Amino acid sequence: MLSRLGALLQEAVGAREPSIDLLEAFVEHWKGITNYYIESTDENTPAKKTDIPWRLKQMLDILVYEEKQQAAAGEAGPCLEYLLQHKILETLCTLGKAEYPPGMRQQVLQFFSKVLAQVQHPLLHYLNVHRPVQKLLRLGGTVPGSLTEKEEVQFTTVLCSKIQQDPALLTYILEGKKTIGRKKASREATAPLREAASVRDKDRPPSKAPDSGTCGAWASSAQLPAETEEPDGPIGESSLITSLIGLCKSKKGRVALKAQENLLLLVRVASQAAATCLVQSSACPAVVERLCQLHQSLPSSLDPADIAAVEGISWRLPSAPSDEASFPGKEALAAFLGWFDYCDHLITEAHSVVSDALAKAVAEKLFVEILQPQLLHVSEQSVLTSTALLTVMLRQLRAPALLREVVAFLLGMDQQPAAPEDSPRTLCAHLIRHCDHLSDEISIATLRLFEELLQKPHEQIVRSLILCHLEGRAYVARGSPEPESYEDTLDLEEDPYFTDSFLDSGFQPSAKPPPAPATNPDGRTAVTEIVNSFLCLVPEEAKTSAFLEETGYDTYVHDAYGLFQECSSRVTPWGWPLAPPPLDPHEPERPFFEGPFLQMLFDRMSRILEQVIGDLMQRIQRVPQFPGKLLLVRRQLMGQVPGEQLDHQTFLQGVVVLEEFCKELAAIAFVKFPPHGPHLHLSKPPEGHV
């Protein structure tokens, strides 16, 4: 009973004067830290071997305990007011900057992080908090490999988390605030010893609890009056952004990844005002500057083929998969593509204001200022490397805002149809010319770029390259009746390449092409005729698929149908009409120009027909045992027999590939016609088809 009564009395005493005991203990621990700088003469003892870490922990525990004991939530207790009034955080920041004793900066960073994270009372609005926070940010994050990287990234994690909870804090952290008339230069850089001495003289605890009215009035005055605030230096000098970007360069993977996650947390702010503040800061320029620096680090000797083969680069894992072959410049390329993927992710996740600004910055600084001159360079190596790099970047790109900027960069904003006589003034016109370059490597690389571009879900791509030239339907002759049958326009028997010279060559060609599916009796060109128009491009004497129990073009129908479905779903949101608009019979006929892009494709395809099919029948007569060798080459390409060198092997491979190409075109024509689609009952295609 007596012990219980004693406990109750002790609680009663503690309830009556808790602030006096806590404040006295808090000040005593702070005096212990300042006395160290007055009394210590050993400059080599690490901070962690002194009593400073223990005293800082006691001060933190007192602040947290005091807050829990506060009767009214949201009010600052005497210890917290003492910390603010006597600029303890400012002093600690100065001690951390001096790095005395050695490792003091690490201790200060930890204390700041824990105070901001564990004390629930809003602190970052106070001048005597956010000013030392900014100073502390400026101490690190600029030199990769700092010994305090771990503590720095933890500090920025707390700050970004606080900003996410209260976006209004972004203004204080990014811009900083000061009161007009204050002298910054002389008062912000007090020497540790002088600071400690002054604190020792004035920081003795009072004999009784501080007057709550006085403390409350001071706490109110410590917050910045709106009418006396101004930015603490230029907005562009953002210590938080600089610190985060610097930590993103860390060689320690976990530190770099955490810094990237913190920056991602920052750009997700929901407030319009905070997002605008972020755009006005150094955030976008700093992110893009890092991207451009990594691009400049790419070796000029990079092989375009190696660039095109790199896959699986992610900002969370910014290194190429280990199973890929190594090549010179691989690490630099992986670092660049990893940061580009991170920029794409930032733009995807950020507030729309930040997203648009960052996308424009990437387009201006990387695409226009760096890549465009390389794409238009006279050096073939420069054109090849930049085209391959741009293709890989397009493959990674997902952010709608960045895609919009890339489309404007590549295709321009003008969607008016081009005329045949137009000179290539735009980047797009030059790239289309590159598709038909004297260098086959440049042609193939640029065709791959357009292939990647056409797979992106952006209507302007298809409209600018193709549709703007077809919408007027000038390709339809006014007043001329359509032929009853497509076969009426074909006279294959008169083709000089379809001769009887090979009826005894060993092949047994069929009299007609393989039958195609049934047609729709809707008065339009039958799907059978369209399919056969592709299948008949290769003479029967040069076909071999039937001899290996293949069923013709239907081996490609599965892939073609999947591609058609993918394209259909991609264009559905664009609201295209289901049928072409009717022609006006009174409209005068205009010359049809398919546009430079389709013209280039048709020109290349026509040359294929001229260079292979045009003299095919004459060339195969000069190849001894042509049928048997052609079958052997097909089996080699399918992996059915070991490869061996044959005479005319390139020509024989070209014949096989051409037959497969025509079958693939026939399959594409089949699956997309008629508009409502045939009912496909598709079985799994045979394995090993070319």
Side-chain angles (χ1 to χ4, degrees), residues 12-58:
V13 173
R16 187 170 62 249
E17 295 183 336
S19 58
I20 296 178
D21 296 338
L22 288 177
L23 180 59
E24 184 177 358
F26 186 83
V27 174
E28 189 64 31
H29 285 300
W30 177 237
K31 283 173 53 183
I33 293 174
T34 57
N35 285 338
Y36 174 86
Y37 290 89
I38 298 174
E39 300 170 357
S40 176
T41 58
D42 185 3
E43 298 182 358
N44 298 320
T45 303
K48 62 183 180 181
K49 292 188 177 180
T50 67
D51 65 347
I52 293 177
W54 175 77
R55 291 191 179 278
L56 287 174
K57 185 178 185 308
Q58 298 305 309

Side-chain angles (χ1 to χ4, degrees), residues 520-594:
N520 274 3
D522 55 3
R524 288 173 292 182
T525 303
V527 64
T528 306
E529 297 162 355
I530 297 178
V531 168
N532 286 342
S533 69
F534 291 112
L535 297 179
C536 289
L537 289 174
V538 178
E540 292 296 316
E541 292 86 346
K543 295 179 180 178
T544 52
S545 56
F547 294 90
L548 296 179
E549 298 183 355
E550 296 184 14
T551 55
Y553 71 93
D554 57 334
T555 55
Y556 290 98
V557 167
H558 283 80
D559 292 339
Y561 184 68
L563 181 62
F564 177 69
Q565 292 291 91
E566 179 185 339
C567 292
S568 298
S569 62
R570 190 184 305 150
V571 304
T572 297
W574 301 343
W576 286 357
L578 297 179
L583 292 174
D584 184 359
H586 304 291
E587 184 180 350
E589 188 169 348
R590 294 178 287 106
F592 171 61
F593 176 54
E594 64 269 37

Side-chain angles (χ1 to χ4, degrees), residues 477-496:
R478 265 62 169 177
S480 59
E482 296 186 9
E484 294 182 3
S485 172
Y486 184 73
E487 294 178 357
D488 295 344
T489 64
L490 298 176
D491 193 2
L492 300 183
E493 294 182 359
E494 296 181 4
D495 195 312

Side-chain angles (χ1 to χ4, degrees), residues 138-387:
R138 284 193 286 269
L139 295 182
T142 56
V143 181
S146 168
L147 297 178
T148 59
E149 279 185 340
K150 179 181 176 182
E151 289 73 24
E152 289 172 28
V153 80
Q154 289 174 344
F155 183 42
T156 59
T157 299
V158 173
L159 290 177
C160 292
S161 177
K162 290 291 182 181
I163 291 171
Q164 188 188 41
Q165 296 169 14
D166 182 5
L169 292 174
L170 192 64
T171 303
Y172 293 90
I173 303 303
L174 290 187
E175 296 182 9
K177 302 289 180 180
K178 70 176 182 179
T179 304
I180 296 177
R182 289 183 181 271
K183 304 291 186 180
K184 287 202 310 177
S186 61
R187 299 192 180 187
E188 288 186 359
T190 307
L193 185 60
R194 181 178 176 184
E195 182 84 31
S198 62
V199 169
R200 184 187 180 191
D201 292 338
K202 69 180 181 181
D203 289 359
R204 298 189 180 280
S207 57
K208 60 179 181 177
D211 181 77
S212 58
T214 304
C215 291
W218 179 87
S220 301
S221 64
Q223 288 188 281
L224 301 176
E227 67 273 14
T228 62
E229 295 174 354
E230 67 177 10
D232 187 9
I235 291 179
E237 298 177 2
S238 169
S239 51
L240 177 58
I241 301 297
T242 303
S243 179
L244 286 172
I245 295 295
L247 291 168
C248 288
K249 302 176 184 178
S250 173
K251 299 298 183 182
K252 301 174 183 177
R254 291 186 177 181
V255 170
L257 180 60
K258 191 61 181 176
Q260 288 174 295
E261 291 174 345
N262 289 342
L263 185 55
L264 184 60
L265 203 64
L266 202 60
V267 301
R268 284 174 172 165
V269 288
S271 164
Q272 178 89 5
T276 302
C277 177
L278 196 61
V279 168
Q280 293 173 346
S281 74
S282 62
C284 294
V287 171
V288 178
E289 181 184 9
R290 172 67 174 157
L291 183 65
C292 295
Q293 289 173 348
L294 290 171
H295 181 275
Q296 292 171 355
S297 301
L298 296 176
S300 58
S301 58
L302 266 177
D303 189 340
D306 290 332
I307 297 175
V310 170
E311 293 182 353
I313 302 296
S314 166
W315 68 275
R316 292 187 178 276
L317 188 65
S319 59
S322 57
D323 56 346
E324 289 188 3
S326 180
F327 55 86
K330 179 179 178 181
E331 291 186 3
L333 177 62
F336 170 74
L337 292 177
W339 191 258
F340 178 78
D341 183 65
Y342 178 63
C343 292
D344 182 70
H345 197 74
L346 281 177
I347 295 170
T348 302
E349 298 289 332
H351 188 283
S352 59
V353 173
V354 181
S355 176
D356 291 341
L358 185 54
K360 290 181 184 298
V362 171
E364 179 183 350
K365 296 299 182 182
L366 178 64
F367 293 122
V368 176
E369 296 184 8
I370 296 180
L371 285 179
Q372 180 166 309
Q374 296 178 359
L375 291 168
L376 301 177
H377 204 276
V378 294
S379 166
E380 289 190 4
Q381 182 63 32
S382 175
V383 173
L384 275 172
T385 303
S386 56
T387 304

